[in-house]
Amino acid sequence: MKRVAVAGLGAMGWPMAENLVQAGLDVVGLDALSERADAFHRQTPGRDGGIDSVEALVIMVVNTEQIRSLLFSDALVAGGLVSQLPADTCIVQMSTVAPADAAALAAEVAAARTDLHYVDAPVSGGVVGAKAGTLSIMAAGDAPSLARCRVLFDILGQAIFEVGDRPGQGAAMKAVNQLLCGVHIAAAAEALALAEKSGIDRQIALELVQGSAASSWMLRDRGPRMVEPPGDVTSAIDIFCKDLGIVCDAAGSSRAYIPLAHSAHQLFVATAEGGEGRLDDSQLIRTYRRLNGCDPEGGSQA
């Protein structure tokens, strides 16, 4: 594979596209903001031609509506990308969407074109993983399509899992992953807020639990930011409102019982509705502080 289009040059898509360029691929950057695509191409000289010669289309946008728009409407090119892609192009959908939507999008592409491949391949690892090329990729699709995309996955990710043979299974696995991520953030915030309410020095409490059996990846990663004032945003509260909403909807569709995920979702939603949706998701602890009668800024621990 030599030529790839990346649709969605945001916080995740841009560094992913850069990694593909650094690996020697010719990358066509596409974005709803034309100035963003222009900026990408200014730093990647040598690009020749448009999407009519790509071998793969990587999609990294916000939601199902954006995916459907760019594939089937005039969002980026007249008539949508599906009508313009060359035969045998592999569409690699890496955004986080509901499993039912992932399956529906694949079916819609198949109904429009029988000569395209489609892979449902959401990722985990956030902006840090996108920049480092260390994403976890949860790919689902038929064997030939997965084989065609493997070269891209090896560039973009560190842990590549083929989780199923049909689109929708990748999104289902991402929902499982996000359930744990969201619940772990909420649990870490609850525990550290309890320590603060008990008058325990927050740094001591954090160091202790980070090195104990109570630790988790989310505690180790988000914990230091929970005990500091709001700063850089690695992943926003609003993102987990969306992702845990997908988890809850997926569970509803499969009639699965997920009370912890529902509780965590409500905490994220309450925090966002309080005007803090754009803060880093570690700042979920501010809601616990308020409910505990403490300063949300962490100024008082007793």
Side-chain angles (χ1 to χ4, degrees), residues 205-249:
L206 176 61
E207 288 183 32
L208 191 154
V209 293
Q210 281 181 322
S212 75
S215 189
S216 69
W217 190 95
M218 280 297 185
L219 174 67
R220 294 190 298 273
D221 184 77
R222 278 12 180 222
R225 302 203 293 276
M226 288 181 181
V227 300
E228 296 292 340
D232 294 339
V233 178
T234 299
S235 177
I237 292 284
D238 282 338
I239 296 297
F240 265 101
C241 290
K242 171 205 164 190
D243 285 6
L244 282 176
I246 289 173
V247 170
C248 293
D249 289 345

Side-chain angles (χ1 to χ4, degrees), residues 1-18:
M1 190 172 291
K2 298 179 180 179
R3 186 171 175 78
V4 181
V6 176
L9 297 172
M12 294 282 290
W14 185 296
M16 291 166 67
E18 285 184 323

Side-chain angles (χ1 to χ4, degrees), residues 26-78:
D26 187 13
V27 178
V28 180
L30 304 170
D31 197 272
L33 296 175
S34 59
E35 58 268 29
R36 189 178 290 166
D38 291 342
F40 177 79
H41 292 138
R42 282 195 298 271
Q43 74 169 35
T44 55
R47 184 177 63 91
D48 181 27
I51 64 166
D52 58 349
S53 59
V54 302
E55 297 165 84
L57 167 65
V58 174
I59 301 173
M60 180 53 77
V61 295
V62 174
N63 54 36
T64 301
E65 290 70 28
Q66 288 189 4
I67 299 166
R68 187 169 281 117
S69 178
L70 71 89
L71 288 178
F72 298 106
S73 74
D74 297 340
L76 294 178
V77 299

Side-chain angles (χ1 to χ4, degrees), residues 228-285:
E228 296 292 340
D232 294 339
V233 178
T234 299
S235 177
I237 292 284
D238 282 338
I239 296 297
F240 265 101
C241 290
K242 171 205 164 190
D243 285 6
L244 282 176
I246 289 173
V247 170
C248 293
D249 289 345
S253 297
S254 60
R255 301 180 68 182
Y257 180 58
I258 54 165
L260 296 179
H262 279 289
S263 295
H265 182 227
Q266 287 302 303
L267 284 164
F268 279 101
V269 169
T271 304
E273 289 301 299
E276 297 178 337
R278 295 187 178 181
L279 293 181
D280 188 78
D281 56 31
S282 62
Q283 297 309 304
L284 189 70
I285 195 171

Side-chain angles (χ1 to χ4, degrees), residues 57-171:
L57 167 65
V58 174
I59 301 173
M60 180 53 77
V61 295
V62 174
N63 54 36
T64 301
E65 290 70 28
Q66 288 189 4
I67 299 166
R68 187 169 281 117
S69 178
L70 71 89
L71 288 178
F72 298 106
S73 74
D74 297 340
L76 294 178
V77 299
L81 292 175
V82 165
S83 67
Q84 303 292 322
L85 293 171
D88 288 329
T89 297
C90 195
I91 298 174
V92 189
Q93 202 306 98
M94 307 189 87
S95 315
T96 299
V97 300
D101 289 338
L105 287 164
E108 290 167 30
V109 170
R113 294 272 302 270
T114 59
D115 59 350
L116 299 176
H117 303 270
Y118 194 99
V119 172
D120 166 33
V123 303
S124 180
V127 176
V128 173
K131 290 179 178 178
T134 58
L135 294 167
S136 294
I137 300 174
M138 296 153 263
D142 61 60
S145 299
L146 292 174
R148 286 175 64 85
C149 298
R150 184 71 195 203
V151 62
L152 302 178
F153 297 157
D154 288 340
I155 295 167
L156 299 173
Q158 188 174 56
I160 296 95
F161 299 93
E162 296 182 1
V163 300
D165 59 5
R166 64 181 188 275
Q169 291 174 307

